[in-house]
């Protein structure tokens, strides 16, 4: 959703596009051509740019939200799934499911400035940043865990075992808990981030 709450930004996987939809009217206002299988959509903290990941070719497109035109493009590993922003939007972090890596992109130049290899067997899907900006969390899919990294150095701090094939993850607003949606085990893990331990499953 746009910073002013007026537009919904959507990736259209089967037709290789992204759309801007007016929330008030429900009408599509803009369509932009991308590449194969666009999936992840993320709005920069300042609301000026939209990042869209495309699975098949490992493409990440940057779209100006005022003109809805592509202003940048960078390649990462195959099957990038999501985007998280660090340092007030100066950096974007994109996971590649196929490569098992996280790619750090400089938002101003739209260039990859760092590549972080996650533990062997990781198939990263979703990345989240702690409310204080100090930690980066990545679900590892078939790795069965959530990786915890320092958001400045990108050092791996911990690996939290959760349910089977965690994909989507979310943080509580106060940053005390992490929740992971675990596909094959049909449950949600609740993780206490003070101890980095799973405390229950729902």
């Amino acid at each position: 959703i746009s910073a002013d709450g007026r537009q919904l930004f959507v990736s259209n996987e089967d037709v290789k596009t992204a759309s801007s939809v007016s929330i008030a009217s429900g009408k599509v206002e803009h369509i932009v051509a991308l590449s194969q299988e666009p999936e992840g959509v993320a709005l920069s903290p300042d609301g000026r740019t939209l990042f869209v990941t495309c699975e098949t070719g490992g493409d990440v497109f940057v779209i100006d939200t005022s003109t809805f035109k592509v202003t940048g493009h960078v390649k990462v590993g195959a099957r990038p799934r999501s985007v998280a922003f660090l340092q007030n939007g100066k950096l974007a972090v994109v996971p590649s499911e196929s490569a098992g890596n996280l790619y750090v992109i400089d938002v101003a130049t739209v260039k990859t400035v760092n590549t972080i290899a996650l533990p062997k067997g990781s198939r990263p899907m979703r990345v989240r940043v702690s409310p204080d900006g100090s930690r980066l969390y990545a679900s590892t899919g078939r790795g069965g865990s959530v990786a915890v990294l320092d958001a400045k150095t990108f050092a791996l701090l911990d690996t939290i075992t959760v349910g089977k094939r965690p994909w989507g993850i979310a943080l509580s607003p106060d940053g005390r808990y992490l929740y992971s949606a675990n596909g094959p085990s049909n449950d949600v893990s609740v993780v206490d981030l003070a101890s980095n331990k799973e405390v229950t499953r729902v």
Side-chain angles (χ1 to χ4, degrees):
I1 297 174
S2 63
D4 62 11
R6 295 180 179 179
Q7 291 176 302
L8 178 67
F9 301 122
V10 185
S11 61
N12 308 301
E13 187 173 17
D14 290 347
V15 291
K16 307 178 188 178
T17 65
S19 302
S20 170
V21 180
S22 167
I23 292 175
S25 69
K27 293 181 179 179
V28 175
E29 295 184 327
H30 304 283
I31 297 175
V32 62
L34 303 175
S35 63
Q36 202 162 352
E37 291 189 288
E39 180 165 321
V41 179
L43 189 65
S44 63
D46 63 10
R48 295 178 180 177
T49 54
L50 192 70
F51 276 61
V52 181
T53 64
C54 296
E55 285 187 66
T56 305
D59 298 290
V60 180
F61 289 93
V62 180
I63 299 169
D64 185 310
T65 55
S66 63
T67 63
F68 217 69
K69 294 186 182 299
V70 173
T71 58
H73 172 227
V74 64
K75 287 271 191 180
V76 296
R79 299 184 79 82
R81 296 287 196 172
S82 59
V83 184
F85 293 96
L86 295 172
Q87 299 179 20
N88 295 318
K90 292 180 180 179
L91 300 175
V93 181
V94 177
S96 162
E97 181 188 359
S98 296
N101 295 333
L102 301 180
Y103 295 85
V104 183
I105 300 167
D106 183 289
V107 171
T109 62
V110 196
K111 294 184 183 298
T112 301
V113 293
N114 202 347
T115 301
I116 300 101
L118 293 179
K120 186 176 180 180
S122 296
R123 306 271 287 175
M125 302 282 193
R126 183 56 131 156
V127 281
R128 296 285 189 184
V129 181
S130 62
D132 65 3
S134 68
R135 296 287 182 267
L136 181 66
Y137 300 94
S139 63
T140 67
R142 293 181 184 177
S145 64
V146 175
V148 185
L149 298 96
D150 184 291
K152 291 184 178 179
T153 66
F154 300 107
L156 182 68
L157 302 176
D158 208 344
T159 302
I160 305 167
T161 300
V162 290
K164 292 182 180 178
R165 208 175 70 197
W167 194 325
I169 56 174
L171 300 176
S172 61
D174 60 9
R176 293 177 60 194
Y177 296 98
L178 178 145
Y179 308 92
S180 74
N182 313 312
S185 55
N186 292 327
D187 52 26
V188 173
S189 293
V190 181
V191 175
D192 181 345
L193 294 178
S195 62
N196 282 348
K197 299 291 183 185
E198 181 189 65
V199 291
T200 191
R201 290 188 192 179
V202 181

